[in-house]
Amino acid sequence: MPAAPAIRHERLAILTSGGDAPGMNPAIRAVVRTALDRGVEVVAVSEGLRGLVSGGEHFRPMDWESVGGILHLGGTVIGSARCPEFRSLEGRQAAVRNLIEHGVSRLIVIGGDGSLTAAHLLHREWHDHVAALIAAGRLSTHDAEARPGIVLTGLAGSIDNDFYGTDMTIGADTALHRITQAIDALSSTAASHQRTFVVEVMGRNCGYLALMSALATGADAVFIPEQPPEDDEWPQRLCDRLRAGRLAGRRDSIVVVAEGAHDRHGRPISSSEVRDALERGLAEEVRLTILGHVQRGGAPSAFDRTMSTLLGHAAVEQVLAAESGDPPQLIGVRNNRIQQLPLAHCVEQSEAATRAIAEGRHADALRLRGGSFSDNLETLSTLLRSLPSPPRPDQRRLRIAVLHSGAPAPGMNTAVRAAVRLGLDAGHVMLGVRNGLAGLLEGRIDELGWMSVRGWTSRGGCELGINRKIPTGHDYYTIARTLEDRRVDAMLIIGGWTAYETAFRFLGKREAFPAFNIPMLCLPATINNNLPGSELSVGADTALNSIVEAVDKIKQSAVASNRCFVVEVMGRYCGYLALMGGLSTGAERVYLHEEGVSLADLKADLDHLVHGFKSGKRLGLIIRNEETNSTYTTPFMARLFEEEGGDLFEVRQAILGHLQQGGSPTPFDRILATRLAKRCINHLIDEATHGRASASAIGLDGGTTRIIDLRDLPRMVDAEHQRPLEQWWLGLRPIARILAQPGPRPSMAREL
Ligand code: ADP
């Protein structure tokens, strides 16, 4: 009979299981460091459930340093594996014994629906396994009593975004980045040769990646498991649609197919079948690209780094607060906030969605995916039309002007494209104002047609033109005349702070100039993310990803030397990019204007750096918002640290500058821009049709869109510093602090 295991003291374990996903590493880092910060011992179980079943060296104690330098790595550094043994009672019993033997009483599992189902099963059967182990003499009653149960928490890690209970699974955003980049690249070659491409993306049971990538790239058609083609005539209709697109002026055609796509009868529709159908119908060569595992690989996106970090942190807080016997929880994100739900319910609902698809209950499957999935599907079906629906004969055709104001932000073109097409499809006239307010003053207004915005989804910069001018003095009269002459019924201003200020000033001139008595709506688009009434603005995600990519490279440039970087990021007086950039890159110090910086702070930070480098640290990273302090500038800080660092370390500054405003928009920014533009156009049409001259701004509030009245602007903002009075992301500050530097453990001061 084997000897009963010796029980060690209480520990928290983490494992990653099933298909790997980018973002698992940031989650592991957050779990380990939060646990250490709370004074809890933590072990990583390598190779997922297989490690749990095998035990022994698969249980590895973790310290602060063991998760240094992993934030930017794809996959999972602690390994993942499929484990057929876990499907058997014996396998799960072995896992229970190993957990008890290694003193693990709290377990965090990161994985897909299979792994989380397995984890749920382990928890449910725990007591049966313990009883069986005792009966077999493999566990003493004494040891069993010392470990009355296991507290379990799950995080959904899967690129497919197929798990109920979280808006996003770990890895889905990065996969969307990969797919979007690939389709953008294919679109340019397809356009050069007037070709048709079929692109197969992952998603056996879930069409999220296919739907969102089609929306983000302006593809012509999409096949997803949740909504099969209406009938068996789909090849004919698809060919007709693509032909109509070509006649309307499209040069490229892209069809996105989810790997799990099928028809009404449940028969698979493979990407090669779509290709063959198109070749036959269009009588031309059609190229097929199966994206495969590139979708899974590579560095996690900024969102996957920050979300996974916050999830990992929250999972530790939850698993430590829970008591043995409490039902396992899933920690996820809902409407941009961390939420927890019973894991059993999430597993059940995820299975229900898969079952609904398998049984052909597509309406149920769509309902289980949530409201925004169906909403995006509907938006896509309008945007991918080759031409707008004809206006109704009795309809009043509104004239809606679109203009930009402020600085360029990636995603502005995407917003204009969506606004123009949705407005045209609703039967109205869409007017584009060139070069912002300056163009409005000069009367540079053109009618925009359906094809005039072709290809704008992925284009960085600002095709309509933009400037920072704000109306003053005689401008009001000139603009009022222009609005009257061009019979503008409603105005959409897409931009940053100056857009809001411009609309607010027009509002104040309504008595003097009745032409301003039209509905006006601002759409937040600035990388600074400093606008009232919206938690996120279009462009901020792209800027954050540009920062993350640049900092990853900067860090790599210093592999061999003792070097500290002071990186300056944009944001004006708003520290969003600095704080989120710091969270996503593992900066040990972030300077924000909101918090200020004193000489005493600089001294403390310097002491920390000196201490770190003396203890073996090789790389330091500090992120500074551009307006943190006008005296303690980036060059000043760099020189100060360099001088005081002596021979211990060198200091280099990197002012990232305008690369943050450029670049092709990320999928998130494209989807946000499209979603906000849709709501804006609907709102403006509604207001103008009912003769309401509101002046408002749209925003994202807890994940849903809302409209704020611009008359409330003065009481919502710190006008001097051009930022909202309340900034939700400042609540993440303490987490950034915990993860950046070990607490009272000087021996572990090595970092990054
Ligand atoms: P994912 O977690 O990415 O969905 P899988 O479906 O392959 O990946 O599941 C990962 C592992 O979880 C499997 O290898 C198996 O060990 C375990 N597992 C999955 N489903 C079950 C189940 N119903 N019962 C027990 N273990 C399961």
Side-chain angles (χ1 to χ4, degrees):
M1 190 189 295
I7 301 282
R8 310 212 180 110
H9 55 279
E10 207 178 47
R11 286 163 152 187
L12 185 155
I14 174 161
L15 65 85
T16 50
S17 168
D20 63 301
M24 282 181 164
N25 286 328
I28 296 166
R29 174 179 177 270
V31 166
V32 169
R33 293 193 170 178
T34 307
L36 293 175
D37 188 71
R38 296 285 303 267
V40 174
E41 239 186 87
V42 49
V43 292
V45 183
S46 60
E47 311 309 327
L49 298 175
R50 189 195 292 165
L52 216 51
V53 173
S54 307
E57 289 182 352
H58 285 97
F59 283 66
R60 296 195 325 234
M62 302 294 273
D63 64 16
W64 194 269
E65 291 166 54
S66 34
V67 288
I70 66 168
L71 256 180
H72 64 292
L73 301 177
T76 160
V77 291
I78 59 175
S80 179
R82 311 274 172 194
C83 176
E85 301 92 308
F86 208 84
R87 292 182 188 272
S88 71
L89 276 174
E90 293 74 26
R92 298 199 286 278
Q93 205 177 88
V96 169
R97 185 174 182 275
N98 286 326
L99 284 165
I100 292 178
E101 181 181 347
H102 286 88
V104 175
S105 54
R106 293 166 202 276
L107 176 64
I108 295 175
V109 174
I110 309 176
D113 54 351
S115 309
L116 294 175
T117 306
H120 166 59
L121 214 54
L122 182 81
H123 184 270
R124 206 177 63 195
E125 297 171 352
W126 182 270
H127 293 290
D128 297 341
H129 291 309
V130 169
L133 286 167
I134 293 171
R138 299 178 65 207
L139 188 68
S140 73
T141 322
H142 171 261
D143 289 345
E145 276 166 5
R147 290 279 168 267
I150 186 106
V151 183
L152 195 138
T153 296
L155 297 182
S158 153
I159 64 161
D160 293 346
N161 205 25
D162 55 353
F163 200 74
Y164 183 92
T166 186
D167 289 345
M168 287 295 273
T169 53
I170 293 171
D173 183 63
T174 308
L176 212 45
H177 274 248
R178 301 282 171 274
I179 298 169
T180 304
Q181 279 160 353
I183 298 182
D184 284 353
L186 289 173
S187 296
S188 61
T189 168
S192 311
H193 299 277
Q194 294 216 22
R195 265 202 189 122
T196 301
F197 272 83
V198 175
V199 184
E200 181 185 306
V201 304
M202 284 187 169
R204 258 173 300 154
N205 294 311
C206 182
Y208 176 85
L209 291 177
L211 171 62
M212 292 310 196
S213 60
L215 195 61
T217 57
D220 298 68
V222 65
F223 288 82
I224 56 171
E226 292 85 350
Q227 196 183 56
E230 282 161 28
D231 52 45
D232 297 340
E233 304 306 313
W234 63 262
Q236 179 64 40
R237 271 188 286 107
L238 183 59
C239 290
D240 290 347
R241 185 196 298 169
L242 297 193
R243 243 185 256 111
R246 285 283 167 79
L247 281 175
R250 279 199 75 127
R251 292 189 55 85
D252 61 314
S253 308
I254 304 277
V255 178
V256 181
V257 183
E259 61 178 340
H262 52 78
D263 66 15
R264 288 268 146 199
H265 320 293
R267 205 183 54 82
I269 297 179
S270 69
S271 51
S272 52
E273 188 181 346
V274 176
R275 190 252 331 259
D276 295 346
L278 288 175
E279 283 197 334
R280 275 194 305 276
L282 298 174
E284 65 173 51
E285 210 179 326
V286 174
R287 304 292 159 111
L288 168 62
T289 303
I290 298 175
L291 293 183
H293 281 78
V294 290
Q295 296 165 83
R296 202 179 269 295
S301 66
F303 179 81
D304 267 326
R305 297 183 194 198
T306 49
M307 180 189 72
S308 304
T309 298
L310 301 179
L311 288 175
H313 173 80
V316 173
E317 296 293 336
Q318 195 280 324
V319 86
L320 292 183
E323 312 231 329
S324 167
D326 285 354
Q329 300 291 309
L330 177 96
I331 309 291
V333 277
R334 178 93 188 107
N335 293 336
N336 206 23
R337 295 287 182 277
I338 301 291
Q339 75 165 6
Q340 89 183 47
L341 283 175
L343 182 63
H345 176 64
C346 299
V347 165
E348 202 178 279
Q349 294 294 94
S350 304
E351 278 171 2
T354 307
R355 234 183 3 257
I357 289 170
E359 292 168 6
R361 289 181 286 109
H362 297 109
D364 288 347
L366 276 177
R367 188 178 44 74
L368 284 160
R369 292 278 180 251
S372 66
F373 192 97
S374 306
D375 196 38
N376 285 321
L377 196 55
E378 191 213 306
T379 308
L380 180 71
S381 61
T382 307
L383 291 176
L384 53 71
R385 277 195 204 130
S386 42
L387 285 172
S389 317
R392 294 189 311 275
D394 57 336
Q395 169 178 14
R396 178 181 163 209
R397 297 192 74 193
L398 299 168
R399 294 168 62 83
I400 304 173
V402 183
L403 77 151
H404 293 300
S405 176
M412 282 181 158
N413 291 328
T414 322
V416 174
R417 171 186 179 267
V420 166
R421 290 208 166 166
L422 294 165
L424 290 174
D425 191 61
H428 304 290
V429 178
M430 298 304 294
L431 305 167
V433 180
R434 305 285 164 182
N435 205 23
L437 202 80
L440 197 57
L441 281 165
E442 293 160 9
R444 294 181 58 204
I445 304 176
D446 304 320
E447 231 182 279
L448 297 173
W450 190 266
M451 292 312 279
S452 65
V453 289
R454 179 173 65 90
W456 284 25
T457 325
S458 57
R459 218 171 284 175
C462 182
E463 293 289 318
L464 278 182
I466 190 166
N467 69 47
R468 293 181 186 272
K469 185 167 170 44
I470 293 179
T472 53
H474 194 68
D475 294 346
Y476 296 107
Y477 171 78
T478 314
I479 294 169
R481 284 293 304 269
T482 305
L483 294 178
E484 275 165 8
D485 289 350
R486 304 302 297 263
R487 292 178 287 115
V488 173
D489 295 308
M491 191 152 46
L492 173 61
I493 313 181
I494 301 171
W497 191 268
T498 57
Y500 285 54
E501 182 144 4
T502 298
F504 188 70
R505 288 188 180 199
F506 286 158
L507 181 65
K509 294 289 176 188
R510 281 183 165 173
E511 276 190 22
F513 302 102
F516 293 123
N517 277 311
I518 54 172
M520 297 176 193
L521 184 54
C522 295
L523 188 157
T526 164
I527 66 163
N528 299 343
N529 200 28
N530 63 335
L531 295 170
S534 194
E535 292 181 350
L536 288 168
S537 53
V538 172
D541 184 60
T542 309
L544 200 53
N545 276 284
S546 301
I547 291 169
V548 165
E549 278 169 33
V551 173
D552 280 356
K553 286 181 189 149
I554 289 170
K555 279 164 71 174
Q556 279 162 13
S557 76
V559 256
S561 52
N562 281 0
R563 199 169 267 184
C564 175
F565 290 100
V566 182
V567 178
E568 179 183 302
V569 301
M570 284 181 164
R572 305 287 305 271
Y573 292 96
C574 171
Y576 176 81
L577 289 177
L579 182 66
M580 300 308 261
L583 261 180
S584 331
T585 54
E588 57 214 270
R589 182 67 161 99
V590 174
Y591 294 109
L592 313 175
H593 180 269
E594 285 87 345
E595 295 175 340
V597 54
S598 68
L599 195 57
D601 294 333
L602 290 174
K603 173 81 174 64
D605 294 334
L606 181 64
D607 289 347
H608 175 77
L609 277 177
V610 169
H611 178 80
F613 278 103
K614 276 188 179 158
S615 324
K617 172 214 251 324
R618 290 210 322 267
L619 179 62
L621 175 63
I622 287 167
I623 295 194
R624 179 186 175 280
N625 156 267
E626 60 182 348
E627 299 286 357
T628 300
N629 184 296
S630 57
T631 306
Y632 303 140
T633 60
T634 302
F636 173 88
M637 281 188 185
R639 281 201 305 274
L640 176 77
F641 292 158
E642 170 79 29
E643 177 70 24
E644 297 292 321
D647 293 338
L648 203 53
F649 59 94
E650 304 178 329
V651 182
R652 294 283 184 274
Q653 70 172 34
I655 297 175
L656 297 187
H658 284 81
L659 70 85
Q660 297 162 86
Q661 282 182 359
S664 179
T666 56
F668 180 87
D669 275 333
R670 298 183 196 188
I671 292 161
L672 178 64
T674 304
R675 193 171 155 207
L676 294 183
K678 179 183 176 187
R679 177 90 202 272
C680 284
I681 287 299
N682 289 344
H683 180 77
L684 285 174
I685 293 171
D686 197 40
E687 295 290 282
T689 309
H690 292 95
R692 289 192 292 262
S694 56
S696 17
I698 193 167
L700 200 63
D701 179 22
T704 54
T705 54
R706 70 161 173 156
I707 306 270
I708 60 161
D709 191 329
L710 281 185
R711 284 174 300 192
D712 295 334
L713 205 60
R715 58 176 188 78
M716 296 176 83
V717 299
D718 169 354
E720 188 191 345
H721 297 115
Q722 300 195 345
R723 66 187 180 219
L725 287 175
E726 276 180 35
Q727 302 192 96
W728 64 274
W729 49 268
L730 277 171
L732 309 178
R733 190 65 175 109
I735 302 174
R737 270 203 198 96
I738 290 172
L739 299 178
Q741 300 176 5
R745 278 177 299 279
S747 64
M748 291 181 187
R750 244 183 279 161
E751 167 56 16
L752 291 161

